[in-house]
Amino acid sequence: MEHTEIILRLENVSKTFETVNGKLPILHGVSFTVKRGERVAIIGPSGSGKSTLLSLIGLLDTPTQGSIEIAGVKINELSESEQALFRNKEIGFIFQSFELISPFTVVENITAPLEIGNKIVSPEAISALIEKLGLRERLFALPQTLSGGEKQRVAIGRALVNSPALILADEPTGSLDRATGERVLSLLLDAVDKTKGTLIIITHDESIANRMGRVLELKENTLHERK
């Protein structure tokens, strides 16, 4: 059954950083699973390790200990180049700071993952996504000419264009005013529903967390399910 398929599994994941003052443990013994199609919020105070955890899930960093499995693939068994290919195909990122490519137009930014992964998506599907994002009139605009809300909509499009197994969003409305953030979040949730994607969102905003199906809280270096 698709709705009970485990798309993400972390088992006893820990992350420790080496500093000039010695070892700094950030995460310890994190274990949880996420099913396909779930919407999950990860909350916690600043400095609790939320972004570190997302970096591990998104294969931008490697755990000190433990294992991560995405879509049935054990990530620690992949080489660095295989991880890069897997990340491009199966994971969509949405960052608070947008991370758009400045010389690229809106449409080039959105379709960049397809170019990198040499993947073909029908022009109709790309056009429908751009329409949904309300970017039809901004296709050939450069990032520096866009508003914050427009930049984040481009970032959402880039994350979704591949129809990835997992969409990771790190404080996606943190750089936006409340009204714009609300519109962008609603658009993201609607787009994720349409693509039947799985969303993990890092947030400190309780109102955002309350719109997710599950809330996980990072405290004392590990993750707890909020009942």
Side-chain angles (χ1 to χ4, degrees), residues 13-33:
V13 166
S14 298
K15 182 66 180 178
T16 300
F17 290 103
E18 299 286 345
T19 74
V20 289
N21 298 318
K23 294 186 175 183
L24 178 64
I26 300 294
L27 300 169
H28 179 71
V30 174
S31 297
F32 71 103
T33 60

Side-chain angles (χ1 to χ4, degrees), residues 10 15 17 26-28 30 32 40-58 60-61 93 96 168-172 200-206 209 215-224 226:
L10 271 72
K15 182 66 180 178
F17 290 103
I26 300 294
L27 300 169
H28 179 71
V30 174
F32 71 103
V40 179
I42 297 176
I43 65 169
S46 182
S48 61
K50 301 187 299 296
S51 292
T52 298
L53 179 57
L54 208 69
S55 291
L56 296 177
I57 296 169
L60 297 176
D61 201 354
F93 283 96
Q96 179 178 344
L168 306 178
D170 191 356
E171 300 276 9
I200 298 177
I201 190 166
I202 296 285
T203 185
H204 65 275
D205 188 327
E206 287 288 342
V215 180
L216 304 174
E217 187 170 6
L218 257 178
K219 53 185 179 184
E220 296 169 353
N221 300 117
T222 196
L223 204 60
H224 306 267
R226 185 190 277 185

Side-chain angles (χ1 to χ4, degrees), residues 59 73-91:
L59 316 190
V73 175
K74 292 187 188 301
I75 299 309
N76 59 329
E77 294 178 0
L78 300 180
S79 68
E80 213 169 294
S81 59
E82 287 170 334
Q83 282 195 23
L85 287 170
F86 184 87
R87 183 169 58 239
N88 176 260
K89 180 174 175 238
E90 300 291 355
I91 300 171

Side-chain angles (χ1 to χ4, degrees), residues 29-197:
V30 174
S31 297
F32 71 103
T33 60
V34 176
K35 294 176 183 174
R36 186 180 291 278
E38 278 195 296
R39 293 174 176 182
V40 179
I42 297 176
I43 65 169
S46 182
S48 61
K50 301 187 299 296
S51 292
T52 298
L53 179 57
L54 208 69
S55 291
L56 296 177
I57 296 169
L59 316 190
L60 297 176
D61 201 354
T62 53
T64 309
Q65 177 185 312
S67 67
I68 298 174
E69 188 177 306
I70 299 172
V73 175
K74 292 187 188 301
I75 299 309
N76 59 329
E77 294 178 0
L78 300 180
S79 68
E80 213 169 294
S81 59
E82 287 170 334
Q83 282 195 23
L85 287 170
F86 184 87
R87 183 169 58 239
N88 176 260
K89 180 174 175 238
E90 300 291 355
I91 300 171
F93 283 96
I94 304 163
F95 299 97
Q96 179 178 344
S97 54
F98 319 126
E99 304 291 341
L100 301 183
I101 305 166
S102 53
F104 281 21
T105 64
V106 164
V107 69
E108 287 169 338
N109 266 284
I110 289 173
T111 57
L114 304 179
E115 301 291 330
I116 294 165
N118 204 21
K119 183 176 178 182
I120 296 170
V121 171
S122 75
E124 293 78 17
I126 294 169
S127 183
L129 178 60
I130 287 165
E131 198 69 53
K132 167 153 275 314
L133 295 166
L135 292 168
R136 171 69 52 211
E137 306 303 316
R138 305 294 272 147
L139 280 187
F140 304 108
L142 294 171
Q144 56 268 34
T145 70
L146 304 176
S147 69
E150 287 171 332
K151 287 177 183 174
Q152 198 55 296
R153 282 185 274 149
V154 175
I156 290 169
R158 181 183 57 192
L160 296 177
V161 73
N162 250 351
S163 299
L166 204 52
I167 298 142
L168 306 178
D170 191 356
E171 300 276 9
T173 62
S175 298
L176 309 174
D177 64 74
R178 172 65 69 176
T180 305
E182 192 60 41
R183 285 197 300 274
V184 165
L185 179 67
S186 293
L187 191 146
L188 170 60
L189 296 180
D190 188 40
V192 168
D193 277 350
K194 290 278 194 306
T195 58
K196 297 183 172 57

